[in-house]
Amino acid sequence: MSSSTNEMVRWVRARAGTHPAERSLARQSLLVGAFCLVIDVASFVTRGPAPGPWNAALLAGIVVADAVLVSSPRYSGWVALGHALLVPALAFVLPGRSASTAGQLVSAYRAGAWLRGKPAGAALVVLCGGVLCSLLISGLTAPASLVTLVSANALLPWLVGRYTTARKAHVDELRHQREAALRDAQAEVAAAVAKERETIAVDLHDVISHHVSAIGVHATAARLNLAAVPVPADGSVRTSLTAVEQSSQAAMVDLRRLLSLLHEGDRSPEQPGTAMLPDLFDGVRSSGLQVTFVVYNDPHPLPRAVDTTIYRVAQEMMTNTLRHSDGTAARVELDYGGDHVGLTTRNRIAAAGGSPGLGVGLDGMRKRVETLGGTASFGAAGHFWESSVTMPLGGGS
């Protein structure tokens, strides 16, 4: 008796695994079996079985039958058979009393919930037969009473088990349908976004790239034509044309990267990052603005989205500086923190230039940074303008 119970407990522990839901189900299964065992043993003892040598054997049978209630669902048919045989046997030692047990009700429920087809029908017949035999042995012969008690003790728990399983299957089907509908909706949105990206990419390529290329060609032609024309000794015109030529070339490079991003999405391999910041500042210096670039702490790889965003923010900061500063100098600080990265620019405001950020540039930077969980701040401090962004390193996931 003790060995059988211990074996079932070991089986439940082995079945529980490591998943919290599995452990919870295993504990509940063990609890149900334990309650049935206690109730049935107490009921057998307190109902006063007739003296005889079979009492100990029947008590052992109750313990074993209730212990196997925690066994695998695939044994539900055998569990039902065991209880169907136990109930008539109990009727012999409990004359004139109902021999129904809590374990028998649970076994009927298990048979309805877990068995399908012929095994389920066979289990129902066996359970009904066991209850009917116990009632006849107890002396009950009224047809209406027999039908009522057999239905209540065998058919009803079996039907409840069937209903519970069918309802769970229905709920699972509804969940699968909802998940499938959600996947379809996400696929439609992704397709629409991809189509819109393609449209934007075509427009950029056909319109913007044409004009930028024309600017570069005309700037190059003008610079070459100046070779045959007297120019001021300081060469400021040639320098300006060279800067225009270089800026148009850089714009074409950025445009190609943007087109690659639109076509390929996050898989695009040509997106800029912090490694290209020195080249960006060199291009700005060619316009006459002295840029001081300072890096704090040891540089380390950044998530791709964060890396690209840092570059794009720095690019916009430099554009604002060229437009609204006094054109003399700017300081850029890149700070590699333990769990974040920050970028700050500081420049003197032009005397008659007003405060920068009246357009959409600052809003664009803020939205880029906030999308990745970061923060942005912009404002004047005396005669200087400071722009600063900070992003967590987890923002690229």
Side-chain angles (χ1 to χ4, degrees), residues 260-344:
S260 175
L261 178 62
L262 289 172
H263 281 297
E264 303 180 36
D266 293 336
R267 298 171 298 172
S268 173
E270 299 185 6
Q271 299 312 303
T274 52
M276 300 179 63
L277 288 177
D279 294 336
L280 172 65
F281 299 141
D282 286 341
V284 175
R285 292 186 185 102
S286 66
S287 301
L289 180 68
Q290 296 302 313
V291 180
T292 302
F293 181 40
V294 180
V295 178
Y296 293 107
N297 302 315
D298 295 331
H300 52 77
L302 302 175
R304 184 172 183 180
V306 174
D307 198 36
T308 301
T309 299
I310 286 291
Y311 180 87
R312 293 303 184 191
V313 168
Q315 200 173 34
E316 181 63 26
M317 287 178 173
M318 290 298 95
T319 299
N320 287 343
T321 300
L322 290 172
R323 287 179 178 178
H324 304 287
S325 74
D326 63 356
T328 57
R331 180 181 177 86
V332 182
E333 299 175 354
L334 180 61
D335 182 11
Y336 287 90
D339 58 354
H340 68 277
V341 61
L343 182 70
T344 301

Side-chain angles (χ1 to χ4, degrees), residues 1 40-41 44-45 47-63 86 89-95:
M1 176 173 61
D40 290 341
V41 169
F44 178 79
V45 173
R47 282 189 290 182
W54 297 103
N55 289 345
L58 287 175
L59 187 60
I62 291 175
V63 173
L86 178 64
L90 290 174
F92 281 107
V93 298
L94 297 172

Side-chain angles (χ1 to χ4, degrees), residues 128-164:
C128 290
V131 174
L132 179 60
C133 289
S134 70
L135 294 174
L136 293 174
I137 293 171
S138 300
L140 185 63
T141 58
S145 298
L146 291 175
V147 171
T148 301
L149 292 174
V150 169
S151 299
N153 290 283
L155 179 59
L156 181 59
W158 186 88
L159 289 175
V160 172
R162 303 289 285 184
Y163 168 77
T164 302

